[in-house]
Amino acid sequence: MEKPDLTIQKESAWQSIPDYADLHVHSFFSDGALHPSRIVQKAAEAGLKIISITDHDCVDGIEPALKEGEKTGIEVIPGVELTAMSDEREIHILGYFIDPHHPELAAMIRLCRQHRLIRYQKILGHLKSAGVSIRTEQLEQLSLLPNIGRLHIAEALVSSGVTANIQTAFRYFLGKGAIAYEKKCPVTPEVVIGLIRRSGGLSVLAHPSLHLKEKELISMIRSGLDGIETVHPKLDASTQSYYQRIALQYGLIQTGGSDSHGRKGFAEIGDYRISGHHISVMKDRLVGRFAACSDNSIIKAI
């Protein structure tokens, strides 16, 4: 795939705002390999000033990241990546500046974890029916049990010699239409967007594809979608340009990041970054939203 010209991240375009951010990183609390504190340290090593850990359907990494950020001088934006389903298609929505203790968000995460455990057992059952056995201990060495996902199962398939690599594991066993595929938690994007807003955050469509139907995108925008991720390893130049135009057309914020998992085959922290200017735009949007609130604690926090 052609690597896009990431003009959004070039320092020459924002010489007066030298801070850079990576707003899409996963820790070992979901399907990443690194502890949140190590992620913050690596962000500092990469010359970043701002980081957001956006674990899948999980906020456990936020607190340790915030603590490490205080030590290193790195700003940590509380984040999450929530999974939604639309017409049998997975859609991922990033939430930024969320309150990780918000009761509705906590309830959604509990629901997703329960569904993840059920899904995990079903996938192992499908694999067993196909003559492929994975020991539970193998998976528990890769992740905390409530957070085991397809990537961990794919790694176990590789380490067991069933497949040569993770891509093959998804193609033949775990991807949509494969023999062990199981859907994720069946929540609509519109529900997720509303939940993120009520938890005090901004909602951003993650790594959008040109396969996304226009009616799906319009529905999300009408439901209050705040932004689109326009810097990501999966976005080629034409896709990036298309969604940059969409963002401008509908007044959406633009975010981006490496989607680093701390694993071989993934981008490194800071490889894909956005200017601090875009963080200011995000904060301005939040300030505008909550300016009329009598309790301005949210505004003070950003």
Side-chain angles (χ1 to χ4, degrees), residues 37-159:
S37 60
R38 181 57 184 142
I39 288 173
V40 174
Q41 293 166 6
K42 287 181 72 67
E45 293 166 6
L48 300 172
K49 297 296 183 182
I50 307 162
I51 192 80
S52 185
I53 294 176
T54 52
D55 282 329
H56 294 287
D57 308 313
C58 178
V59 294
D60 294 347
I62 292 176
E63 186 174 347
L66 287 169
K67 289 180 179 178
E68 189 63 30
E70 292 176 359
K71 297 178 184 177
T72 58
I74 299 294
E75 179 180 354
V76 176
I77 296 176
V80 69
E81 184 171 2
L82 298 175
T83 305
M85 297 294 295
S86 177
D87 291 338
E88 302 294 313
R89 185 198 312 275
E90 277 189 26
I91 292 179
H92 292 184
I93 309 291
L94 296 157
Y96 295 112
F97 296 103
I98 56 168
D99 172 7
H101 305 294
H102 190 275
E104 280 191 78
L105 179 60
M108 173 66 76
I109 288 173
R110 284 195 299 272
L111 175 65
C112 289
R113 282 191 170 183
Q114 291 168 2
H115 190 275
R116 184 183 294 271
L117 286 171
I118 294 170
R119 182 188 190 218
Y120 153 69
Q121 294 293 344
K122 286 183 176 180
I123 290 174
L124 292 188
H126 294 321
L127 289 172
K128 187 175 182 180
S129 297
V132 178
S133 294
I134 298 175
R135 297 193 312 276
T136 304
E137 310 87 79
Q138 285 181 278
L139 294 167
E140 291 178 352
Q141 289 173 358
L142 296 171
S143 178
L144 303 173
L145 183 59
N147 300 320
I148 288 176
R150 288 187 299 168
L151 182 56
H152 303 113
I153 298 173
E155 288 185 324
L157 289 170
V158 174
S159 64

Side-chain angles (χ1 to χ4, degrees), residues 173-207:
F173 293 102
L174 303 172
K176 187 175 180 180
I179 60 174
Y181 175 75
E182 280 287 335
K183 297 178 185 177
K184 286 192 175 181
C185 194
V187 182
T188 67
E190 292 75 17
V191 167
V192 170
I193 290 166
L195 174 63
I196 290 172
R197 179 180 286 252
R198 291 192 297 277
S199 68
L202 298 171
S203 58
V204 174
L205 176 63
H207 42 71

